[in-house]
Amino acid sequence: MTTTVLLFGQLQEITSKHELQVNEMADTHTLLAELSRMYPAIATAKYMIAVDKQIISGNTKLKDGSTVALLPPFSGG
Amino acid sequence: MANHQPYERYQRQILLKELGEDGQQKLLNAKVLVIGAGGLGCPVLQYLAAAGVGTIGIIDDDTIAIHNLHRQPIYSMQDIGLPKASTAKAFLENLNPSIHITAYVQRLTVTNALPLLKEYDVIVDGSDNFATRYLVNDACVLLDKPFVYGAISQFEGQVAVFNHSTGNTLPANYRHLFPEPPKEGTVLNCEEAGVLGVLPGIIGTMQANETIKLITGIGTLLVNSLWTFNALTNQSYQFSIATNATTSLLIPTDTAAFEKMDYEWLCGNSTTALEISVAEFDSLRKAVAIEIIDVRAMDETPVIVEFLNKQIPLSEIDTRATEIEKDIVVVFCQSGVRSKKAVAVLAGIFGESKKIYSLKGGITGWKSQTIKPV
């Protein structure tokens, strides 16, 4: 199974990507651990998580083809 | 509609069957407070004043600088150095003299927020820092006021309508996205990260649109939804926000608890900064050899010639810290906010080896309290 990850704000700078694909991620905790391994700066970054356009709190199961978005807070005005 | 209101001014929007004369009357009766008259505030104010929102409040304690003009186009060269709130008011009165506009040239604090917000029906947040954003959020939840949120960074923006009840679901607020403020330095602001000038134009105009729909009761609002836009890729997304009651525990439950909140501290803005007053600063610099650092951007005014100082903009403070030689250091900026951040950075670099202070109230405070030598 494949998960698409959409990256926003400074997470795009950390990864140099707007979007990436990862395989065999059962839930959001596993996915974030894998992303933090690939890009250590993600481990300390602050962001909220949306799974299939629903903002979640806590670990969430992923389905094949799920899209996970990581959105950092913006302070600018 | 009241006879003294020029019907012709609003005729093109009254023609819209969704809005009509009823919608126009709702706009004329509405009271909206816009927090921040910067990148987001400018388009919000322009479109709300143009649409005939009858009462508009503008709160901002900042002054206009030349580096604001690329994204705050209601201001002109001759406005540089003037307060944003009162300058915006004058601009809007020229645009639409039939509405009532109040400018508050002050910072929104736990002391003035509740009495001020109570006077308005809808709050629009165009602030530029997390401390104000959490303060606005908590005050609106406490007072049960809807607020239209917008925030930007570089090429990206976010918009939502928070704390607006529709039916039985708990209305989402900012703390449902980010329950706790981020730590200092983990998120860059416009000054540090840069911002494309048209971006706040787009995001602020979206906020004005949501505000007009909210007041007139037309269309679909971004309630329990977060809309994001990327100006580089043209991609936009709409996320739904699940609300939960536990987040409410983070919000003060009454006026007394709210007034005791230290939002600057929560956002890590004052944890390490030692501040000195204008009087303490003046006696210190006359008594001993100290190093004075100006952390404002290079083009900010007033240029300080009254005492020796070195310019190191906040964005360069970490890489140029080695240029600081003396053991007692006073850092200043325009209002005393950025200098506190610089002190926090420098304290991390020098530890106990230097005494580093932030000038409270910034150079604006110093200028206003210092009597010029004859």
Side-chain angles (χ1 to χ4, degrees):
Chain A
M1 68 180 247
T2 304
T3 308
T4 302
V5 182
L6 302 176
L7 300 148
F8 291 79
Q10 67 181 140
L11 299 174
Q12 293 177 354
E13 284 173 35
I14 291 172
T15 58
S16 304
K17 290 184 170 79
H18 290 274
E19 187 178 324
L20 56 91
Q21 253 87 35
V22 278
N23 293 321
E24 305 309 323
M25 295 292 140
D27 53 40
T28 50
H29 277 186
T30 319
L31 171 70
L32 297 180
E34 175 60 13
L35 290 175
S36 300
R37 192 192 61 76
M38 293 163 72
Y39 306 98
I42 286 187
T44 53
K46 190 169 178 95
Y47 50 82
M48 61 183 152
I49 305 158
V51 176
D52 296 324
K53 297 196 174 173
Q54 171 74 51
I55 292 167
I56 55 144
S57 54
N59 196 16
T60 302
K61 286 248 176 302
L62 297 173
K63 300 185 298 251
D64 187 27
S66 282
T67 299
V68 177
L70 306 183
L71 302 118
F74 296 154
S75 68
Chain B
M1 204 174 345
N3 290 334
H4 65 274
Q5 295 295 348
Y7 180 87
E8 281 175 82
R9 173 184 288 273
Y10 310 116
Q11 192 256 350
R12 294 295 194 274
Q13 67 189 28
I14 291 172
L15 271 178
L16 300 166
K17 68 179 189 322
E18 291 81 357
L19 202 132
E21 285 201 28
D22 278 357
Q24 189 59 52
Q25 193 59 55
K26 286 177 183 166
L27 289 169
L28 291 168
N29 293 344
K31 296 176 177 181
V32 178
L33 178 68
V34 179
I35 297 166
L40 294 172
C42 285
V44 168
L45 289 165
Q46 265 183 302
Y47 279 104
L48 294 187
V53 169
T55 304
I56 297 177
I58 313 164
I59 179 162
D60 196 310
D61 69 337
D62 202 6
T63 54
I64 298 153
I66 194 162
H67 55 76
N68 295 143
L69 300 185
H70 91 296
R71 67 186 188 287
Q72 298 172 22
I74 69 171
Y75 305 126
S76 309
M77 288 301 288
Q78 65 265 29
D79 299 328
I80 288 168
L82 299 176
K84 289 184 180 179
S86 49
T87 308
K89 173 181 151 79
F91 179 92
L92 299 172
E93 281 171 344
N94 208 28
L95 170 67
N96 190 348
S98 65
I99 59 171
H100 180 69
I101 303 163
T102 309
Y104 308 93
V105 184
Q106 53 189 270
R107 196 166 183 82
L108 192 71
T109 66
V110 289
T111 316
N112 64 17
L114 297 182
L116 182 61
L117 268 61
K118 266 184 199 155
E119 300 295 314
Y120 293 87
D121 311 318
V122 182
I123 315 301
V124 182
D125 184 11
S127 61
D128 63 356
N129 63 88
F130 285 114
T132 306
R133 290 187 178 283
Y134 279 85
L135 188 157
V136 170
N137 183 75
D138 292 1
C140 287
V141 172
L142 198 52
L143 296 172
D144 201 19
K145 299 272 181 192
F147 79 104
V148 182
Y149 158 87
I152 51 169
S153 179
Q154 296 187 328
F155 298 100
E156 286 177 83
Q158 302 172 340
V159 181
V161 176
F162 284 137
N163 205 46
H164 180 58
S165 301
T166 50
N168 294 326
T169 48
L170 184 68
N173 65 65
Y174 190 56
R175 287 193 187 259
H176 289 115
L177 300 183
F178 299 102
E180 307 264 15
K183 291 276 172 290
E184 188 194 3
T186 55
V187 180
L188 298 174
N189 60 27
C190 291
E191 182 194 312
E192 296 155 339
V195 62
L196 189 70
V198 296
L199 178 72
I202 295 166
I203 301 300
T205 306
M206 282 292 289
Q207 286 180 278
N209 187 42
E210 290 302 295
T211 307
I212 288 167
K213 290 191 296 178
L214 178 70
I215 293 166
T216 54
I218 65 171
T220 309
L221 294 170
L222 290 166
V223 169
N224 291 20
S225 278
L226 177 78
W227 182 80
T228 70
F229 176 71
N230 184 319
L232 270 188
T233 61
N234 293 319
Q235 278 182 314
S236 68
Y237 295 93
Q238 196 172 322
F239 298 97
S240 45
I241 307 168
T243 55
N244 57 71
T246 53
T247 307
S248 330
L249 300 172
L250 299 163
I251 298 171
T253 48
D254 58 34
T255 305
F258 177 80
E259 287 179 346
K260 284 195 194 99
M261 293 284 284
D262 185 344
Y263 287 93
E264 293 288 342
W265 177 82
L266 268 182
C267 298
N269 293 343
S270 54
T271 43
T272 46
L274 275 174
E275 287 186 297
I276 60 169
S277 67
V278 166
E280 288 167 333
F281 168 64
D282 279 337
S283 52
L284 184 69
R285 69 186 172 86
K286 284 166 192 161
V288 289
I290 64 169
E291 193 144 352
I292 304 170
I293 309 291
D294 178 359
V295 292
R296 297 176 301 166
M298 297 302 281
D299 55 359
E300 278 180 74
T301 54
V303 174
I304 297 305
V305 293
E306 291 88 339
F307 49 81
L308 203 64
N309 65 87
K310 186 183 191 77
Q311 280 192 289
I312 307 180
L314 180 62
S315 57
E316 298 170 18
I317 198 81
D318 51 344
T319 52
R320 292 176 57 192
T322 49
E323 294 175 31
I324 301 170
E325 292 164 351
K326 297 194 176 71
D327 289 334
I328 301 174
V329 183
V330 175
V331 182
F332 75 85
C333 63
Q334 205 70 22
S335 68
V337 176
R338 280 175 286 168
S339 55
K340 282 202 279 188
K341 290 185 180 174
V343 170
V345 173
L346 293 174
I349 294 169
F350 294 113
E352 297 298 306
S353 68
K354 285 186 198 295
K355 278 277 181 204
I356 306 160
Y357 301 96
S358 168
L359 178 61
K360 196 172 184 176
I363 207 63
T364 311
W366 185 82
K367 279 269 185 193
S368 66
Q369 286 182 42
T370 308
I371 299 154
K372 287 194 178 78
V374 183

